Amino acid sequence: MKWILAITVLLAPLSASALNANLDRLTLMSEITLAGKPAVVFYLGSDVEENYCSISATKDYVLNANGQLLNIKRDQPEFDVSCNWDGEYYVLSSNHITRAEVVFIKSTKNTPMAIRLNAMLTTTKGELATFNSPNIDVVAK
């Protein structure tokens, strides 16, 4: 019994410091340049305006990815995700186990596309956090 209690005490700080952020809206979509190529950036947000994630990808990468963008440990220079959350900045890193997946889903006839994010990012201090969204409709304004 003491052994099980010791494991519980040891794991408690790890789970308490992990951030699991949920995004629920598309706040902005814009055109930029990434890796010297034309790109698009999507900003996904939450109820708190300062909490958001940006998803950037070259147009060529998006068109050739068959609806799924994937970056593991910053291995894809034409696709990037970063998040600002509760005053902390989270990024993909080649030095930590980080990943980002963005899925584009064909939606209804009223909304031609939806976007979904699933990412594990890190701060410069090595603090990991997960960022998830449901399918969020992308509507051109």
Side-chain angles (χ1 to χ4, degrees):
M1 187 67 146
K2 288 181 184 176
W3 188 75
I4 293 171
L5 181 61
I7 290 174
T8 304
V9 170
L10 210 107
L11 291 179
L14 294 176
S15 61
S17 64
L19 171 67
N20 188 1
N22 293 305
L23 303 145
D24 63 2
R25 65 197 69 178
L26 177 70
T27 59
L28 180 67
M29 187 171 66
S30 182
E31 293 190 15
I32 61 166
T33 300
L34 181 65
K37 299 178 181 178
V40 63
V41 61
F42 298 92
Y43 291 92
L44 303 182
S46 71
D47 289 334
V48 178
E49 189 174 322
E50 294 81 21
N51 292 346
Y52 65 91
C53 293
S54 66
I55 301 164
S56 306
T58 64
K59 291 180 180 180
D60 288 341
Y61 186 69
V62 171
L63 292 173
N64 293 315
N66 294 322
Q68 180 181 15
L69 311 180
L70 187 62
N71 194 333
I72 299 172
K73 292 185 73 172
R74 201 167 186 81
D75 69 342
Q76 187 51 253
E78 294 188 39
F79 166 52
D80 191 40
V81 174
S82 62
C83 298
N84 285 294
W85 208 270
D86 293 335
E88 292 287 340
Y89 185 60
Y90 295 88
V91 296
L92 287 162
S93 170
S94 58
N95 298 321
H96 297 88
I97 299 173
T98 57
R99 62 169 171 69
E101 177 187 33
V102 172
V103 179
F104 292 100
I105 301 112
K106 290 184 180 178
S107 200
T108 66
K109 61 181 172 183
N110 296 333
T111 308
M113 184 177 67
I115 186 171
R116 181 177 65 232
L117 170 68
N118 182 328
M120 179 182 294
L121 306 176
T122 185
T123 64
T124 56
K125 301 173 210 164
E127 297 168 357
L128 293 174
T130 58
F131 298 87
N132 298 293
S133 76
N135 294 349
I136 298 173
D137 290 338
V138 176
V139 179
K141 294 183 180 182

